Amino acid sequence: PELLEYTRHIVDHGVTARQECPDARWRTKPHRSAQDFMLEAFEKTWKDARKGRLLICSAELEKELQGVLAEPMGRVPKQNPDRTLSSEGRFVHDQRKVNAFGSKYDHPPAMQPRHRELARTILWWKVRLPGIRIMLAKYDVDSAYKLIWLAPDDAGLFATELPGLLIGLPINVLIISLCLTFGYQGSPGEYMAFAWTNKFLYQAARPVDPDWHDDVPFHCKTLMDDQVMIEPDIGVRCHIASWWAQYAMRQVFGDEALNQKKLDEEGQFETTKINWGIHYDTVCETISLPEPKVLKLRFLVNEPAFAYGSSAV
């Protein structure tokens, strides 16, 4: 009940930064990792602005922007489900200076599951229902942090700048986030309050016919925005679990929360699945590293710098 009360409060009032920052004006420019992808940055900025997640204005304003502490934007490549690198990037907000004025312990804890918890759940089902296939499915929350609103009074701590020359503007563009950002120390905990609400809602239900579907409630493990469901292949239990998981996610995060692209790629119940970077096989009872990750490690350890006797790094 306390968790539900907290998340409802955040929906009504937004996340507060819980920190004292100087009444100043900070200017900034993107990190080098983002400078070569400015067109992609503007495209994603416009996409979020259309959804009301960002406020965009001229960075050359002065008194209107007093108290806005802009910090640089960076970019890291996204990974595909098979752990290869995607051509698409994730833009992150380097808020280290703003973070220094507060603490992550002023926000909810960002508790995450371990791989051994998922493995134990699979084995628990195999002991309970010998000979029955244990199925795995993974759902992803689309946009994740961007679904959680900030308190309007604190939005000035979540700002960055982009050079306008690339899109024909003689000024820099100021972007003020109205939702959580990748880079703020409180974002993981504040988001996980909603993720745990979703997890508890999903686990509050069970199929109505125990003779066909067992009487055990549904169960999942949630690592940030990746929700892994573990269900036995009996009756139509997996189909019911799939419907209920999607319903619960929309109840907590909104109607468009489910990532449809990833649903098509890895949302089906199967006996093999890559979960949180590790390949699981519930039939063979094995876990292994995906082949692209193995190749990356093999290449890394065979670099000359790591050869025996090498003193040049």
Side-chain angles (χ1 to χ4, degrees):
E2 293 84 357
L3 177 62
L4 184 59
E5 180 183 2
Y6 181 81
T7 52
R8 284 174 170 167
H9 175 82
I10 296 301
V11 170
D12 290 337
H13 303 284
V15 173
T16 55
R18 302 188 180 96
Q19 59 193 65
E20 294 292 333
C21 289
D23 183 21
R25 170 76 194 285
W26 293 355
R27 300 292 303 268
T28 189
K29 61 181 181 180
H31 282 315
R32 183 173 295 276
S33 62
Q35 288 177 1
D36 293 336
F37 300 90
M38 281 295 94
L39 189 58
E40 181 186 3
F42 273 111
E43 289 174 350
K44 293 200 170 187
T45 295
W46 181 242
K47 176 183 175 182
D48 287 333
R50 290 176 60 191
K51 296 184 177 181
R53 298 169 180 169
L54 303 176
L55 183 65
I56 303 176
C57 65
S58 167
E60 311 311 322
L61 297 173
E62 296 181 0
K63 63 179 182 179
E64 296 89 347
L65 299 179
Q66 182 66 19
V68 174
L69 308 182
E71 293 204 71
M73 174 188 288
R75 181 188 182 275
V76 294
K78 287 185 177 182
Q79 289 186 331
N80 297 313
D82 63 357
R83 316 314 289 174
T84 58
L85 292 182
S86 169
S87 59
E88 185 181 0
R90 171 177 284 115
F91 288 89
V92 296
H93 199 170
D94 183 359
Q95 293 179 261
R96 282 177 288 185
K97 291 195 294 183
V98 165
N99 288 341
F101 291 103
S103 170
K104 68 178 183 179
Y105 298 108
D106 294 330
H107 301 271
M111 296 183 292
Q112 305 295 315
R114 298 173 181 269
H115 277 285
R116 60 174 175 256
E117 296 177 40
L118 181 53
R120 284 172 178 166
T121 304
I122 295 170
L123 294 176
W124 184 90
W125 270 117
K126 299 196 79 165
V127 170
R128 182 177 178 85
L129 300 174
I132 299 297
R133 297 190 305 168
I134 308 305
M135 315 296 280
L136 303 174
K138 186 168 68 171
Y139 288 174
D140 179 83
V141 179
D142 193 15
S143 300
Y145 287 0
K146 297 177 182 179
L147 301 178
I148 314 300
W149 298 106
L150 293 168
D153 289 346
D154 291 333
L157 307 181
F158 298 80
T160 190
E161 287 186 36
L162 297 180
L165 289 177
L166 184 64
I167 57 173
L169 295 177
I171 58 172
N172 280 5
V173 177
L174 181 73
I175 303 167
I176 299 177
S177 292
L178 305 178
C179 54
L180 291 178
T181 57
F182 288 90
Y184 179 60
Q185 62 188 357
S187 293
E190 298 290 352
Y191 171 80
M192 284 307 298
F194 285 81
W196 275 86
T197 301
N198 175 58
K199 173 183 171 71
F200 286 143
L201 178 59
Y202 175 73
Q203 296 184 161
R206 70 185 75 193
V208 296
D209 190 345
D211 291 336
W212 283 97
H213 306 120
D214 207 332
D215 60 357
V216 178
F218 297 126
H219 192 75
C220 68
K221 300 293 183 184
T222 301
L223 183 75
M224 293 309 291
D225 58 343
D226 282 336
Q227 176 180 328
V228 178
M229 284 79 70
I230 314 102
E231 299 294 342
D233 188 18
I234 52 177
V236 291
R237 183 181 173 106
C238 289
H239 296 281
I240 302 172
S242 176
W243 181 89
W244 177 245
Q246 295 182 43
Y247 176 83
M249 185 176 290
R250 293 187 175 106
Q251 286 288 99
V252 175
F253 289 105
D255 292 338
E256 299 181 5
L258 185 62
N259 190 322
Q260 291 295 331
K261 179 181 178 182
K262 289 192 175 181
L263 178 66
D264 296 337
E265 293 174 345
E266 49 190 357
Q268 303 301 314
F269 273 96
E270 300 168 312
T271 57
T272 62
K273 187 77 65 178
I274 295 178
N275 298 312
W276 318 327
I278 301 294
H279 184 269
Y280 284 75
D281 188 325
T282 64
V283 175
C284 298
E285 299 183 0
T286 59
I287 60 174
S288 58
L289 290 174
E291 189 61 25
K293 185 172 285 189
V294 174
L295 292 174
K296 182 178 178 181
L297 291 169
R298 184 178 296 143
F299 176 81
L300 177 67
V301 299
N302 282 285
E303 286 188 352
F306 298 110
Y308 178 78
S310 173
S311 58
V313 178

